Amino acid sequence: MRPIPWRPARLLERSPQTPTARTLVFSVPGWPGHLPGQHVDVRLTAADGYRAVRSYSLAAPADGERVELGVQSVPGGEVSPYLADVLPVDALVEVRGPLGNWFVRRPGAVAPVLLVAGGAGVVPLVSMVRAHRTAAPRGPLRLLYSVRSPDDLWYREQWADRHADFDLALLYTRLAPPGDPRGPARIAARDLAPAAAALGPDGTAYVCGPTGFVESAADLLTGLGVDPATIRTERFG
């Protein structure tokens, strides 16, 4: 198998998602395309030759040479704060990808899908939501998105633009907005039960977020009778 090459990527635009999260859009000549759920490696090279590589999920379906990433700035991080707030527009980095062929949603699939996101884990899942919007035919897709507070919510414009066969539940763990009937609480079986039941034998669940969140959500799903073989997980470290 031929190695996946590094390609130059030019930063086209940066936009805020939360106080610490950004969307970065790059132009990558020769980009071969990708599937929703895949990710890339990003490589930075300092003037003295030092290199740092980090992985970031693709936040949008394939669109020519346009590559959109979601970056959460991690305090004390070596790469994420620079990408999130320092890398100048029109600057070059290197990317390698697409990577990952298991945590993906393939074209033409119509079986029910449940997406469960914790915080920045929504990035690869929003790519699946966006692909679902234009898919034909398409099956039912449900997203349960858990965040600490309304200020931590990514992709607000996506959730305001609802479409057929798409259901969304926003779950808050520390501070819920006024009028939220659920109130702040960690994700629980009662949150997942209706969507788990709707999956049926042919559905697939995708769970992405911090390790503790992913393990808890996956355990809750299996406890609700979802076949572990139909649960795909991806952890953010």
Side-chain angles (χ1 to χ4, degrees):
M1 182 180 295
R2 296 173 59 184
I4 299 175
W6 289 98
R7 303 176 189 273
R10 186 177 302 278
L11 181 62
L12 299 180
E13 59 186 81
R14 173 192 286 110
S15 57
Q17 290 293 339
T18 76
T20 58
R22 309 286 182 263
T23 287
L24 275 63
V25 178
F26 293 90
S27 174
V28 185
W31 183 250
H34 58 271
L35 294 170
Q38 289 188 300
H39 63 278
V40 299
D41 285 343
V42 177
R43 184 166 71 182
L44 304 179
T45 303
D48 63 0
Y50 174 75
R51 287 175 168 174
V53 178
R54 297 291 186 274
S55 297
Y56 293 98
S57 291
L58 293 150
D63 182 14
E65 296 181 348
R66 182 183 175 95
V67 169
E68 180 178 328
L69 306 180
V71 177
Q72 175 75 57
S73 181
V74 178
E78 185 179 44
V79 173
S80 63
Y82 180 79
L83 287 177
D85 294 313
V86 179
L87 180 70
V89 171
D90 210 40
L92 287 172
V93 299
E94 295 175 283
V95 300
R96 179 174 61 186
L99 303 172
N101 290 307
W102 185 72
F103 195 84
V104 297
R105 185 67 176 161
R106 299 186 182 278
V110 296
V113 174
L114 171 60
L115 310 178
V116 185
V122 76
V123 176
L125 303 185
V126 77
S127 182
M128 298 183 191
V129 173
R130 289 168 164 169
H132 181 264
R133 179 175 287 111
T134 59
R138 63 188 179 196
L141 183 147
R142 295 170 174 83
L143 169 63
L144 276 70
Y145 179 18
S146 174
V147 291
R148 293 179 178 178
S149 74
D151 287 344
D152 298 301
L153 194 65
W154 294 57
Y155 306 115
R156 297 172 187 271
E157 74 286 354
Q158 294 294 323
W159 318 138
D161 182 18
R162 303 293 181 91
H163 59 279
D165 304 315
F166 173 60
D167 182 66
L168 168 69
L170 299 176
L171 314 177
Y172 300 94
T173 62
R174 294 190 180 177
L175 177 65
D180 183 79
R182 177 180 177 271
R186 292 180 179 272
I187 193 169
R190 66 179 181 275
D191 300 311
L192 291 163
L199 275 177
D202 299 322
T204 304
Y206 296 82
V207 185
C208 187
T211 296
F213 173 87
V214 170
E215 292 178 350
S216 177
D219 287 345
L220 289 169
L221 287 171
T222 55
L224 290 165
V226 178
D227 183 351
T230 67
I231 302 173
R232 304 189 181 192
T233 60
E234 185 167 283
R235 296 164 173 81
F236 278 16

